[in-house]
Amino acid sequence: MWEAVKAETRGRVQVEIFPLNNNFKPGDPDPLTLLVNGQLEFFTNSGNGLAAIAPALNVQATPYAFRTQTQVYRAMDGDIGDYIRQELSAKGIYAVPRGCFENGMHQFSCATKPIRNADDLRGLKIRVPGSPAYHEFFKTFGAVTSSMNINLMYEALKNGAVEAQEDPLDVAELLHLYEVQKYMSMTNHSWSGYNMLASLKVWQGLPADVRQSIERNTVKFARLQRADTESLNKTLRARLTQRGMIFNDADIASFRSRLGPFYAGWRQSIGERAWTLLEGHVGKLA
């Protein structure tokens, strides 16, 4: 994507891509602070990763809301995406329109047992990303949640600090979690993607044709990435089975039936506007 922008702008925009270590020492600025201040020009982050500064962003991760990618992107490329952009703009961040990249539907993997129904989460030690509000979903079923950066997850699963994790199948493949996890339980309990973000301060200082090039190529390559990742996730059940993981389809109704109290708190957390827009796409929740 950035190579295309570089070519279109005849070298006026050259973006260096590098991994950002989130294991900060106390007092170090986090990436969002750097982004707002213009010290970091661009960044990608998930909705629940952005909820600390804009709680409405958790709408993207609402458990058992979205059922298909088509449903997701009708919302993210439409009115929910517009609302998210407004919320982030107020915080000094420009979210590129239709620039949400795919991560996928979340599933449970576990070293000790399959997750057949909601009762199997009771007492389970599980690594969970994102905001405290997202953690409450797992605590609803009695799970013991733990937060850690994703680059620490493999070792934590290996040494038993946590038994389980909940990410899309591509994470299990790309991080080799099949080496430390035996079971993969298909729950489709949440969706996540990565929003293409720019420092609003930097964005406003770019020439109009440069902004247009970035927006145009973000849309183009986000669509390609979505299709690529969705295709990968569809092939991974067979591939991870070959690698030794044991799959099962969980009883989703056992989760959905207990979400009434959780949804009441979640609705308050993300705000009435986000909740109303969400139900406009997925129907009434709880």
Side-chain angles (χ1 to χ4, degrees), residues 2 4 19 47 60 73 83 85 91 95 105 115 149 162 175 186 189 196 205 236 238 249 259 264 281:
W2 290 115
Q60 290 184 334
Y73 288 114
Y83 179 60
R85 294 186 337 101
K91 303 297 182 180
M105 292 291 184
I115 307 303
N149 192 44
V162 292
L175 271 64
M186 303 297 286
H189 57 270
M196 185 67 210
L236 284 178
D249 295 304
L259 289 179
H281 288 276

Side-chain angles (χ1 to χ4, degrees), residues 1-34:
M1 185 187 90
W2 290 115
E3 285 298 317
V5 171
K6 179 181 176 181
E8 283 188 10
T9 61
R10 298 184 179 182
R12 286 183 294 158
V13 176
Q14 298 187 38
V15 174
E16 179 185 2
I17 301 171
F18 58 94
L20 192 60
N21 188 342
N22 288 325
N23 297 311
F24 298 106
K25 301 185 294 295
D28 283 354
D30 66 26
L32 292 178
T33 300
L34 297 175

Side-chain angles (χ1 to χ4, degrees), residues 64-261:
Y64 286 115
F66 297 111
R67 291 173 171 81
T68 67
Q69 270 72 19
T70 299
Q71 196 178 50
V72 165
Y73 288 114
R74 187 176 293 120
M76 298 311 150
D77 292 344
D79 53 7
I80 288 182
D82 291 340
Y83 179 60
I84 283 171
R85 294 186 337 101
Q86 292 171 14
E87 291 290 293
L88 289 174
S89 180
K91 303 297 182 180
I93 296 172
Y94 181 75
V96 180
R98 299 180 299 284
C100 189
F101 295 96
E102 173 77 359
N103 191 25
M105 292 291 184
H106 287 228
Q107 323 295 344
F108 288 107
S109 73
C110 187
T112 54
K113 63 181 180 180
I115 307 303
R116 295 190 174 90
N117 55 54
D119 289 335
D120 288 324
L121 290 190
R122 184 168 302 280
L124 187 73
K125 296 182 294 182
I126 181 169
R127 181 264 178 183
V128 176
S131 67
Y134 187 59
H135 282 237
E136 286 302 314
F137 167 70
F138 304 92
K139 292 178 180 179
T140 295
F141 307 105
V144 180
T145 64
S146 178
S147 284
M148 66 189 70
N149 192 44
I150 196 167
N151 67 339
L152 302 176
M153 183 168 66
Y154 181 96
E155 190 60 32
L157 292 168
K158 183 178 180 180
N159 65 29
V162 292
E163 304 164 74
Q165 64 86 39
E166 60 85 46
D167 268 304
L169 296 183
D170 60 345
V171 173
E173 170 70 9
L174 299 173
L175 271 64
H176 297 191
L177 298 187
Y178 49 83
E179 297 173 349
V180 293
Q181 299 276 268
K182 183 175 181 179
Y183 301 100
M184 182 66 75
S185 301
M186 303 297 286
T187 52
N188 293 313
H189 57 270
S190 183
W191 175 87
S192 66
Y194 289 88
N195 303 279
M196 185 67 210
L197 310 172
S199 166
L200 184 60
K201 182 186 301 184
V202 171
W203 185 260
Q204 290 174 335
L206 295 175
D209 66 316
V210 168
R211 295 197 301 267
Q212 291 165 6
S213 176
I214 293 171
E215 288 182 335
R216 183 169 55 252
N217 281 289
T218 294
V219 172
K220 174 183 176 180
F221 285 91
R223 287 175 177 168
L224 292 171
Q225 188 272 346
R226 292 172 187 180
D228 186 56
T229 303
E230 186 175 1
S231 176
L232 175 64
N233 278 323
K234 285 179 178 178
T235 66
L236 284 178
R237 181 165 184 161
R239 189 183 306 179
L240 290 169
T241 297
Q242 292 175 346
R243 297 191 187 281
M245 297 195 81
I246 300 172
F247 276 73
N248 71 283
D249 295 304
D251 177 10
I252 291 175
S254 69
F255 291 90
R256 288 184 179 275
S257 64
R258 303 184 195 181
L259 289 179

